[in-house]
Amino acid sequence: MVVFERVQKTYDGRTLVVEDLNLAVRRGEFLTMLGPSGSGKTTTLMMLGGFEQPTNGRILLEGQAVERLPPERRDIGFVFQNYALFPHMTVADNVGFPLRYRGIRGAEAARRVAEALAMVRLDGLGERRPAQLSGGQQQRVALARAMVFKPKLILMDEPLGALDKQLREHMQIEIRRIQQQLGITMVYVTHDQSEALTMSDRIAVFNDGRIQQLSDPVTLYDRPENRFVAGFIGDNNTLPCEFLGSENGLAFVRMKDGTRLAASGPAHPARSDLTVSLRPERLGLDDAGSAENRIKARVLDKTFLGDRVRLTLEAFGTERLVASLPAAEGAAVLPGRDVGMAFSAADCRLLAR
Amino acid sequence: MVVFERVQKTYDGRTLVVEDLNLAVRRGEFLTMLGPSGSGKTTTLMMLGGFEQPTNGRILLEGQAVERLPPERRDIGFVFQNYALFPHMTVADNVGFPLRYRGIRGAEAARRVAEALAMVRLDGLGERRPAQLSGGQQQRVALARAMVFKPKLILMDEPLGALDKQLREHMQIEIRRIQQQLGITMVYVTHDQSEALTMSDRIAVFNDGRIQQLSDPVTLYDRPENRFVAGFIGDNNTLPCEFLGSENGLAFVRMKDGTRLAASGPAHPARSDLTVSLRPERLGLDDAGSAENRIKARVLDKTFLGDRVRLTLEAFGTERLVASLPAAEGAAVLPGRDVGMAFSAADCRLLAR
Amino acid sequence: ADPLSVMSFGGAYQDAQRKAVFSAYAEETGRAVSEQEYGGEIAKIKAMIDSGNTTIDVVDVDAPTLLQGCDEGIFETIDWEKIGPKSEWLAGTTSDCGVGTIVYATVLSYDEDKLEKAPTKLADLFDLATFPGKRGLWKNPATNLEFALLADGVPSQDVYATLATPDGLDRAFAKLDTIKDQIVWWEAGAQAPQLLASGEVTMTTAWNGRIFNANKEGRNFGIVWDNQILDSNYWVIPKGAKDVEGSLAFIRFAVEPKVLAGIAKYIPYGPVRSTAAAEVAPEDARNLPTSPANLTTSLTLDNAFWADHGDEIRKRFTTWLSN
Amino acid sequence: MWLPAYATRSERLCRLAVVLFAFAVLAFLIGPLFVVFPLSVSKDPFFTFPIREYSWRWYADFFQNARWMHSLVNSLVAAAASTLIATFLGTLAALGISRPGFPARKAVMALMISPMIMPVVIVAVGAYMFFGSLGLTNTRTGLVLAHAALAIPFVVVTVLSALSTYDSNLSRAGASLGAGPVSVFFAVTLPLILPGIVSGALLAFAVSFDEVIVALFLTGADQRTLPVQMFSGIRDQINPTIMAAASLLTTVSIALFVLLNLIRRVKRA
Amino acid sequence: MQIAGEVTMTQTLSLTSSASAPNLRAALRRAERPGRLGALALALPALLFLIVTFAAPIGLFLTTAVRNPEVRDTLPQTAAALAGWDGDGPAAPGEAAFAALLADLTRAKEDNTAAALGKRLNYESAGMRSRIMSVVRHLGNFKDGALAPQFAALDPVWASPDLWAIIKRNAAPVTPYYLLTAVDLQQDASGAITRVAEDQAVFLGILGRTLWIAGLVTGATLLLGFPTAYVISLAPARIAGFMLLMVLLPLWTSLLVRTTAWVVLLQTDGVINQVLLALGLTTEKLQLMLTRFGTVTAMTHIQLPFTILPIFSVMKSIPEGQMRAARSLGAPPFFAFWRVYAPQTLPGVTAGCLMTFILSLGYYITPALVGGPRDQMLSNFIATYINRDLNWGMAAALAGLLLVMTLSIYLLFLRLVGAERIKLG
Ligand SMILES: Nc1ncnc2c1ncn2[C@@H]1O[C@H](COP(=O)(O)OP(=O)(O)OP(=O)(O)O)[C@@H](O)[C@H]1O
Ligand SMILES: Nc1ncnc2c1ncn2[C@@H]1O[C@H](COP(=O)(O)OP(=O)(O)OP(=O)(O)O)[C@@H](O)[C@H]1O
Ligand SMILES: [Mg+2]
Ligand SMILES: [Mg+2]
């Protein structure tokens, strides 16, 4: 549906904000662009919307290059971070705005507006001004306005950034519902990993103007492809190691103090700069289960986090390691003591860079 | 060290922003005031700092009433939410500012400033202006400035509110380290429960100008005294119930559909308006363990959250219930199916109000 | 015919002209007069001519403007045949490009209601001992230097010769120095009576017509005619005027003895045409600078002198003011 | 508000003194605007207090005197024309300047603002000479052009500040919804910056309506504006009709000012 | 097919090489050009308008400060005849020069240009005007034969070289005369630059006075404006809004009306004196009108809003927490204000003071109506030179002086504050 081909973008002629973007958005999917601030997400979206020109490369929309197409002719719905509702128009006029420029007027337009407002559950608020609505309602109006002309593609730039947590979670579900109900293709930008994990079919993780990994949420979490992705999504312990070899699909590595661990990851990593990455919650107390790796560690500190306990451990010589245990399980662990920990090879990712 | 005695405060003469505050801060402790926006935390801190006068009641500092003492004579360090660094002075001048009014000048002052900057790990940045520092660095300067004159008491009003998550967690550890190292008494305001749980010796939960509960973090989480505290700290399922009676220190309740549950809580709750409160992560799959309560529930929805899976369940007839399981454990659960859940009586709190 | 456009100095002077001249002209010829006013700036006239669209047919100018404008050729040459015999005009009030109309005087004036003892001669202006208080003077070296020398005893016929010498100039400034810190300077004609009215000064130099008018409004200002300095106004036709013949006809009408004399009824400015003097009503003639009783010690302003030396003297005057 | 709750006694005293001082300064600012009123109803033709007798003669003179009326009309026409020009050009310029990527913004801004700070005499004499060579002195066109130049910075500044609070995402939103650049401007941008344009236009009008020096140089008798009439009134023939004129002007400007602020307040509420 | 293939080739090439910085910049410029031009096109009409109606007129006017067309245009033959004459000698030039002058003046009389020439030469030496004009008036009386004696008969100075030297020197198309005069310098007969005589040295004094008055006004507005802005920034919103209206209101009333008002207030029988007398604060009426005090007071009144507004907007932006922080750190009230608050208002103080200083430099109306002779500023002299003397050169030179001062402070303003920060109301 949308294809980015070797797209580059610079604002100042010196630094590339988008370095080399190749990405194909599938029809009907919910694709999220996730990344830290300044990683080029908004820029990418703006290029797709037609508000910025790529410095190099091509963008294809339904197979057609769109460089020359001004935004108003792209037929893409856009929901902006601060909604960009027209404050001088009523809600109905806002939502009816795109219809005006598509020759839809009168009763037909009114019907479509009412339909769109009903879709976002705002029936009856058409005569209000945006300023008379709550943040969440404004968000819905923006959504209705971007949908009312039935675009094939809707872009959203951190649409929930300004809402509080509860409302945000509620709107996540709503948006997902509408997207699935109408079968629209959506490209969604956020820097909130849990939002991305919750909503998306696929997630493109951005950093430094590049896509670091593009996959579905579970793969992204369980099998990050590099250290950035591992660190950005979920908590993570990153420990330097040396590659020993692989066997039966398992990789074997040696830690600084010589401990041998079984890890998952690429079969023949070429780089010398290697680490293993361990999620705190995948570290368990050694309960003689089936985990491939067992280590001894000293408990340095224990912090209570409500439902969980965070342990700061010293292992593999002088490495720091954070583990997160269910509060009940961690109750018995005491700072200053040694403790046995276990984790599976699948949870121990061998990563380069 | 600090005692609030029946303190009341109103700004407009009509509503009491602080209703009846009684609180004793112990020497050397890290006491956090936690509560939602508008609950009177800042007001309380301002009264202690000398910026507001209590409408009623007394505040004692080291046993002395301080109503008449202007802020500059209280010798209390104060870290403000937006740091309130002096933008026209260098970092060193900012930190040296309080020394000037304590007659410390020249080499001695320089030594103290350097010491304070070293303490917050900002050595060598003394000649910068605040605007040239990152948010986290500015926060450290504010901290150094509030410490440099060795006050016995430091007050902090949401000092980390403006920082991003990673930095915030880092600074939490730093502040806690410095507090323990110097043995300073700290009164800390936040509305972030995880921050409060991580850092504090004791937490005072504020709501509507009253302290709802004052205890250490584990007690607060595990044994909330009322529904507000239970709901405010950690996630929570709140379900209406009826009190049947208590036995062996356990309370028994009946749910809407007649299910009987064992719960913990006060022995003879007088109120009719009772609920049980269940934390999502304390709900486990029924593994035939030792939990007192076992129920059947229908899985309505399952959301992937990275390390965990969130289940939306229907139980006790038509009640909604949220459970949070480790991702591995939850993998087998499928939406639409029924599932057995279990939880202990200790995790099922019977609460009034 | 289009109305004839006439520009004059406004104020009471133009009011008098309107009553005595313009309305009579309109009545007699059927051609209306459209009035304009200005502050006497030659730049205004020149700008109009330079813009190539001379919309004004006749202008009333003062003597320096006549001199400068005539030299620069921005006025039409007057065909005296169509005006009248030059010989009827006072000496020095005819010119190739202008026709003299009235004579006015710069005189010493005071408020009779406020002073117990009235000044009688120009020298009293400099006599702070007898007449303490502020003096109002025109902020211009012209007239003041003359007054200074006159008060210092220089006979009127020698004033300009003296002023042309450095010593004479020094002498004039020295005389002014004696009252310098008591001087309040005025710039526009209307300010002088205002200074008297507001009690700002005990006496002031002023244009006699302005004093007369103030008295008509219920003031009681006195005039010292001794050593009055005379100057005259002229009718000129700016270059490029649309209807030169019409303008000449108007000027001819305006200086007809009867008409010209009529002005004195409204403002005490004397006609420069000798045949007109006779037409002035005796009760008005008393107030004219040109009435013989007032003329005994008068001095006529030498505009050529000021054209040659004005620049230098004005600079000196400015420096002198600032110190 | 006036005082923090923690103020000490001496601080309170100081603060009280400063507040009184500030109100004195405000009185100094406002008071002189009103002294013209009593004089305008004094019968005396001189500006003297105390007033001996009251009369409306000067107002009558103002309204009956063709010259005053003529100059009033001249002022209104010239101000309206230069307001139109300045508002049109200034708004366009502000739209351009506010765009990202506007070349040499600083230099252009410096030039655009400079009529505001340039000594008016220099502007007046320059225009007098230059327009003279084009035959534009003593014409209303010349006056209008010069006034428009003086007024442009006021429009540019106010429209720019209106644009600075304008969220350019609104234009983007408009485009993404299918409206072309011109439609977006008229449907979205213009209505939102209209208050800025209106206050810019009001200021432009005030600049021209109040301007004396340029008008002194550029107008002949036929184009003489009200301020010029007043100026020569004060200088040459002290005549309380100018007090009547001044009182009327002040009344009108106070009324306009109050109206403008009421509109703003209503808009905000 | 082949052509298409080539296109893709070059495209790929440009893609691969685009990583290098210069190419990147070029690509960027290409991508941005339409936007830049569009933005410029919007501002262009106003820019052109300002250049034509504002910048060009001022520029042209300023050039008259050095233009010297009178001798060149009116006396071309004389100038040519004098070209070879050694002006330093003790003798007047030969007969040829007299003949040329006569011929030139004959033409000048027809063209009516003699007066302008006379006026111009009169600047250099008083009396030149009447000498030239008397020659012109006597043109018909000249007889054949030696001209020098006939000229000398009209005025003996024609026999001396000084006068001829002046004509020769001013045959040049440009003259430093006006500029030099504007700073009280002159070129003597030998061409050396010297100070003018004490009693002719006016302009530096006026320049100094202009700066001094502007400085006084700036100081006064700051003194009055700072506390006022401070109080407004402290006041509760409603009262502050009202106070701001009081500050803005004068800006809306006619400058002329305000100046008139000061005339009424300041005159000897005016309101202030009446009040002072009534209160018994003085027994004698004070001279306020037409004095420096009056001028500065009226100008201060007019400029005060320009100083208050920027200071206020900066004060408004200083968080209240700043003072709290200072107090909590141990600073007593006054020190907290002086060391923490006051320095942070500096940007506003700078903006307000520079703006007031710039605007004060150009005052004309107020000094003209309220000031005495010692309070007239550069603008007043510029206007006088035009209106009364038609001396464009002098006016332009003084305008140049005023402009240089104004622009240098404007540049300082742009550097320290920036044009974007100017706000109205
Ligand atoms: N109009 C612009 N001109 C110059 N630089 C820009 C512009 N817009 C963005 N940038 C820069 O480009 C980089 C990427 O910006 P972008 O807005 O695409 O990031 P983002 O991923 O959306 O970040 P965020 O999560 O903060 O919105 C940043 O370094 C930003 O400073
Ligand atoms: N200076 C003041 N004048 C009037 N009311 C005030 C003032 N300061 C605070 N309040 C009111 O007092 C109540 C408590 O405010 P306070 O600032 O103490 O809350 P808080 O717990 O610090 O909230 P937050 O988490 O938002 O900072 C709020 O309703 C607030 O509106
Ligand atoms: Mg973004
Ligand atoms: Mg708070």
Side-chain angles (χ1 to χ4, degrees), chain D residues 161-198:
Chain D
S161 97
L163 280 170
S164 72
T165 58
Y166 174 77
D167 178 5
S168 60
N169 266 345
L170 290 177
S171 293
R172 290 178 164 167
S176 82
L177 298 171
V182 177
S183 307
V184 165
F185 177 77
F186 283 104
V188 180
T189 314
L190 186 64
L192 289 175
I193 62 169
L194 201 59
I197 297 179
V198 169

Side-chain angles (χ1 to χ4, degrees), chain B residues 55-350:
Chain B
T55 312
N56 271 314
R58 297 200 308 162
I59 301 175
L60 306 175
L61 193 63
E62 308 266 23
Q64 282 201 318
V66 293
E67 280 88 75
R68 289 285 143 99
L69 223 49
E72 66 267 24
R73 304 247 302 279
R74 295 199 179 187
D75 229 30
I76 295 178
F78 208 126
V79 177
F80 296 85
Q81 172 154 19
N82 294 310
Y83 319 142
L85 298 182
F86 305 138
H88 58 296
M89 300 183 186
T90 62
V91 165
D93 288 344
N94 261 287
V95 176
F97 189 88
L99 301 179
R100 214 181 314 174
Y101 300 99
R102 289 172 171 81
I104 303 168
R105 289 172 189 266
E108 166 68 0
R111 197 185 54 71
R112 293 268 290 264
V113 168
E115 206 176 276
L117 285 178
M119 176 67 83
V120 298
R121 305 199 179 150
L122 280 182
D123 327 61
L125 295 188
E127 289 317 305
R128 296 249 190 113
R129 298 266 162 164
Q132 298 168 313
L133 300 180
S134 73
Q137 288 171 327
Q138 290 182 19
Q139 218 291 318
R140 287 155 196 261
V141 177
L143 191 56
R145 191 177 65 174
M147 285 178 355
V148 70
F149 59 100
K150 308 210 164 114
K152 299 238 164 46
L153 176 62
I154 293 186
L155 313 183
M156 299 198 183
D157 190 4
E158 307 201 18
L160 307 179
L163 304 183
D164 67 28
K165 185 158 170 277
Q166 219 130 3
L167 208 50
R168 194 156 64 224
E169 283 172 2
H170 183 73
M171 284 305 299
Q172 286 167 8
I173 298 171
E174 287 279 285
I175 291 175
R176 184 68 167 143
R177 171 181 67 78
I178 291 170
Q179 185 258 340
Q180 287 178 336
Q181 193 168 329
L182 302 183
I184 312 174
T185 313
M186 272 204 192
V187 178
Y188 189 99
V189 162
T190 182
H191 59 236
D192 178 342
Q193 41 147 318
S194 79
E195 189 165 297
L197 293 175
T198 313
M199 301 177 76
S200 326
D201 292 321
R202 287 196 302 162
I203 298 174
V205 180
F206 275 66
N207 194 35
D208 286 345
R210 286 184 175 277
I211 294 183
Q212 304 289 332
Q213 184 166 355
L214 171 62
S215 46
D216 64 287
V218 176
T219 311
L220 205 61
Y221 191 88
D222 285 346
R223 276 178 282 140
E225 278 169 15
N226 60 34
R227 220 178 286 161
F228 174 79
V229 175
F232 190 70
I233 294 169
D235 284 336
N236 203 51
N237 294 297
T238 301
L239 305 168
C241 67
E242 231 175 85
F243 182 62
L244 296 176
S246 27
E247 211 173 286
N248 301 335
L250 284 186
F252 290 94
V253 297
R254 181 167 51 219
M255 308 305 289
K256 252 181 25 186
D257 70 333
T259 313
R260 230 178 94 108
L261 295 180
S264 60
H268 298 286
R271 309 290 211 82
S272 57
D273 167 27
L274 289 175
T275 56
V276 289
S277 136
L278 269 169
R279 298 212 179 271
E281 77 277 7
R282 300 286 164 90
L283 279 165
L285 292 182
D286 189 352
D287 56 355
S290 61
E292 286 92 345
N293 297 305
R294 277 165 219 295
I295 59 172
K296 276 268 166 287
R298 170 178 298 271
V299 181
L300 297 180
D301 191 26
K302 173 173 143 185
T303 317
F304 181 67
L305 291 179
D307 58 336
R308 302 188 76 84
V309 171
R310 185 174 61 202
L311 302 180
T312 311
L313 306 169
E314 199 176 48
F316 310 123
T318 58
E319 297 284 357
R320 291 287 152 104
L321 210 58
V322 174
S324 160
L325 302 180
E329 198 174 326
V333 181
L334 293 178
R337 300 280 182 81
D338 279 3
V339 66
M341 305 294 293
F343 49 94
S344 72
D347 290 336
C348 179
R349 292 282 295 173
L350 174 62

